[in-house]
Amino acid sequence: MRVLVANRGEIALRIIRACHEEGLEAVAVYSDADRLSPHVRAADLALPLGPAAPSASYLRIDRLLDAARQSGATAIHPGYGFLAERAAFATAVEQAGLVFVGPPASAIQAMGDKTEARQRMQAAGVPIVPGLTVPVAEAAAARRHAAELGYPVLVKAAAGGGGKGMRLVVEPAELDMALAAARSEAEKAFGDSSVYLEKYLERPRHVEIQVLADHQRIVHLGERECSIQRRHQKLVEEAPSRAVTPLLRERMGQAAVQAAAAVGYRSAGTCEFLVTQDGRFYFLEMNTRIQVEHPVTEMVTGVDLVREQLRIARGLPMRVPQGPLVPRGWALECRITSEDPANGFLPAAGRIQYLQVPTGPGVRWDGGIEAGQEIALHYDSLLGKVIVWAPDRAAAIDRMRRALRELIIAGVATNQGFHLRLLDDPDFQAAEIDSQFLERRADLLAPPPAAPVREVLAVVAALVEEEYRQARRPQIAADGSPTGWTRAARAEGLR
Ligand code: ADP
């Protein structure tokens, strides 16, 4: 099987690596902006898609299918984002006689509309967050439903994703405005303005269950906790969760398996739940794809989720441990994004002048960047993920702290400093977290006046800039070896 990877960045590299470990060939595709990106060189073959804008490249179904034909690929892995959760893409891939490395189009469709998914889950006996299961047509009806549910309520886009089209409504007077705002945001983001209402839960934890399904059976691989979010976007994930007992894991796991079964699921997928302070859990949505935070599950279960996706796509049985799931040790993931905490977390652009990725015991770097690379604003701001494993949560935090201190990304602003502040926080260390934690903790989001990390980066950046200038005029020492002054100078700068 030759697999075309319809994505870019860290997830494209991740999938290409899995292909190679499975003994499969990988075909990369790239936009003009990504011509020199690491995922292109990692693949066995690479084909251009078009201009940098996603709508002209990574979202072009016709070009992707052409690339598959030209390269002789027999399967397409969509990664996450872009076309991963477009049922129409899965259908087009299958109609072209190719294998879609993911669930059937019908399962994507069923879970893609939140109101439809909520109806299905209710029918399957999976508890859903209290609220509507059909879109709300007009403001008067919305007012009635909101009063019944009790404020605060959340207005949510039926087609929602990435926190878009979501509005918190604390009191009745705000409802009309919130409806209009959510509708227009949803229309812009998804081309669908349908919205519905959910009860807004106070301080829930975001706990999700990884499921894996082959042609024979569906299993769950335990939970990930993703409560550390900014504006409903995950920043830090861990497995297992402090809030989950073995009994709760089994109950939530069963609910997730039921949810997957209800839509005829296959491949890797994730059922997201909110867990309230009193230990109740409610289905939020199912993501019908591999997720950004999948590595933490891999670290504590020993299952390579992407390799299993590839096996399942080939009709092979999945390889998962037998017996009840007992997660081993603790894994943490920090998402490193080119978002500048000093500038309201706005995506930053720039050229990566120097990159040092963390290594050593228990550390994994899933990245898609390298020194010299231009970070533009066309794509998601995720640069890479630092994932650590350790025997317990406290040791995982210590290890992550060490790993983040090793990580140096010079030339573009990142959220690295935020992660270091979070890891030092006593509440985070005590796992006293919930999905509204960062809303209360502006102090963690905002950088302190003079962040020492930044000073080091500035020194390194200046040195590396110099190295690049030198590199354009290759210099060879008298003995024929490349000159090595920069490394020494950098060490000097770090002292
Ligand atoms: P999206 O699909 O846009 O990511 P989700 O429904 O998955 O939206 O929710 C994203 C996040 O928003 C959750 O992890 C949680 O933090 C918050 N959230 C969603 N629904 C609720 C709710 N009913 N009550 C409280 N918080 C919620």
Side-chain angles (χ1 to χ4, degrees):
M1 190 160 82
R2 186 177 285 176
V3 183
L4 183 135
V5 182
N7 217 301
R8 64 180 300 282
E10 70 91 16
I11 194 62
L13 259 180
R14 169 75 187 89
I15 297 164
I16 292 166
R17 287 173 172 149
C19 287
H20 288 161
E21 289 180 19
E22 277 293 300
L24 307 173
E25 286 179 322
V27 179
V29 287
Y30 58 93
S31 71
D32 293 351
D34 281 336
R35 199 165 47 88
L36 302 173
S37 295
H39 81 275
V40 174
R41 287 196 311 279
D44 301 288
L45 193 69
L47 293 159
L49 286 176
S55 60
S57 50
Y58 298 103
L59 291 173
R60 285 287 297 263
I61 295 180
D62 54 342
R63 297 216 175 136
L64 290 164
L65 294 178
D66 276 349
R69 254 189 301 275
Q70 279 175 37
S71 62
T74 51
I76 298 189
H77 195 309
Y80 55 67
F82 293 133
L83 296 167
E85 288 178 289
R86 300 258 184 100
F89 182 52
T91 303
V93 170
E94 273 157 28
Q95 280 174 353
L98 306 167
V99 176
F100 182 73
V101 185
S106 54
I108 301 177
Q109 180 82 43
M111 290 298 189
D113 183 302
K114 289 192 179 183
T115 49
E116 186 185 337
R118 282 164 62 78
Q119 288 167 29
R120 293 244 199 172
M121 293 305 105
Q122 207 168 35
V126 176
I128 58 173
V129 180
L132 302 184
T133 54
V134 288
V136 57
E138 37 178 85
R143 278 195 288 275
R144 223 176 30 250
H145 290 302
E148 271 165 35
L149 278 174
Y151 287 86
V153 297
L154 262 187
V155 179
K156 277 191 174 184
K164 292 203 187 87
M166 208 187 292
R167 285 289 183 287
L168 173 62
V169 186
V170 178
E171 50 178 44
E174 301 167 357
L175 186 62
D176 285 12
M177 281 261 286
L179 279 172
R183 274 194 207 288
S184 95
E185 196 172 304
E187 178 65 44
K188 243 181 258 148
F190 317 110
D192 176 356
S193 65
S194 330
V195 297
Y196 70 103
L197 299 179
E198 263 179 30
K199 174 87 187 150
Y200 180 72
L201 303 176
E202 301 285 347
R203 298 195 178 194
R205 298 172 89 114
H206 177 116
V207 180
E208 57 190 34
I209 301 282
Q210 176 69 52
V211 298
L212 203 54
D214 63 13
H215 294 75
Q216 310 287 318
R217 60 198 181 113
I218 306 176
V219 299
H220 77 84
L221 292 173
E223 79 281 7
R224 295 186 280 264
E225 173 156 6
C226 320
S227 292
I228 301 299
Q229 306 180 350
R230 180 183 170 274
R231 301 204 173 156
H232 310 302
Q233 300 266 34
K234 300 161 188 168
L235 285 169
V236 176
E237 301 95 348
E238 57 188 295
S241 161
R242 268 287 177 82
V244 176
T245 61
L247 178 65
L248 184 58
R249 177 173 304 126
E250 229 13 72
R251 286 174 50 220
M252 292 181 72
Q254 280 320 312
V257 167
Q258 258 168 275
V263 295
Y265 206 80
R266 214 167 46 236
S267 194
T270 300
C271 287
E272 298 189 332
F273 296 92
L274 293 180
V275 176
T276 54
Q277 298 291 328
D278 61 2
R280 268 181 251 241
F281 66 90
Y282 299 101
F283 174 87
L284 200 53
E285 65 168 346
M286 181 167 189
N287 290 135
T288 54
R289 53 168 159 84
I290 193 77
Q291 277 187 299
V292 175
E293 60 271 26
H294 76 274
V296 291
T297 297
E298 297 185 323
M299 305 299 267
V300 297
T301 62
V303 175
D304 185 313
L305 290 164
V306 181
R307 286 187 67 174
E308 293 312 311
Q309 283 190 303
L310 293 167
R311 279 178 65 86
I312 293 164
R314 294 155 81 194
L316 299 171
M318 59 185 165
R319 296 165 302 187
V320 287
Q322 296 295 319
L325 180 104
V326 185
R328 181 179 157 270
W330 215 276
L332 269 178
E333 174 181 279
C334 289
R335 297 189 186 194
I336 307 299
T337 64
S338 50
E339 291 174 337
D340 189 356
N343 192 17
F345 278 79
L346 278 179
R351 188 160 64 88
I352 297 181
Q353 295 165 320
Y354 182 82
L355 176 67
Q356 173 180 285
V357 300
T359 53
V363 177
R364 167 173 166 183
W365 164 256
D366 274 24
I369 55 168
E370 62 187 358
Q373 193 176 332
E374 199 68 52
I375 303 301
L377 298 175
H378 298 290
Y379 310 113
D380 192 277
S381 57
L382 185 68
L383 300 176
K385 309 172 307 202
V386 180
I387 304 121
V388 301
W389 181 90
D392 57 47
R393 190 171 186 274
I397 290 175
D398 289 342
R399 185 161 271 173
M400 181 62 88
R401 230 200 240 112
R402 185 272 288 174
L404 284 178
R405 291 203 181 109
E406 279 182 24
L407 173 68
I408 301 175
I409 300 175
V412 62
T414 76
N415 62 358
Q416 193 176 351
F418 154 75
H419 286 296
L420 284 165
R421 288 193 292 281
L422 177 77
L423 294 167
D424 283 342
D425 182 72
D427 287 340
F428 179 76
Q429 288 172 0
E432 277 162 17
I433 51 175
D434 58 74
S435 66
Q436 289 142 24
F437 178 76
L438 286 185
E439 285 170 27
R440 300 189 297 274
R441 297 297 306 275
D443 60 310
L444 292 174
L445 290 171
V453 174
R454 295 197 147 270
E455 280 166 25
V456 174
L457 288 183
V459 172
V460 173
L463 291 168
V464 174
E465 190 56 41
E466 184 56 33
E467 180 182 27
Y468 269 93
R469 246 178 279 134
Q470 297 283 336
R472 271 185 227 116
R473 291 180 275 112
Q475 290 188 346
I476 304 293
D479 65 356
S481 64
T483 52
W485 64 270
T486 308
R487 191 175 297 276
R490 189 185 149 250
E492 188 69 21
L494 281 172
R495 267 204 294 275

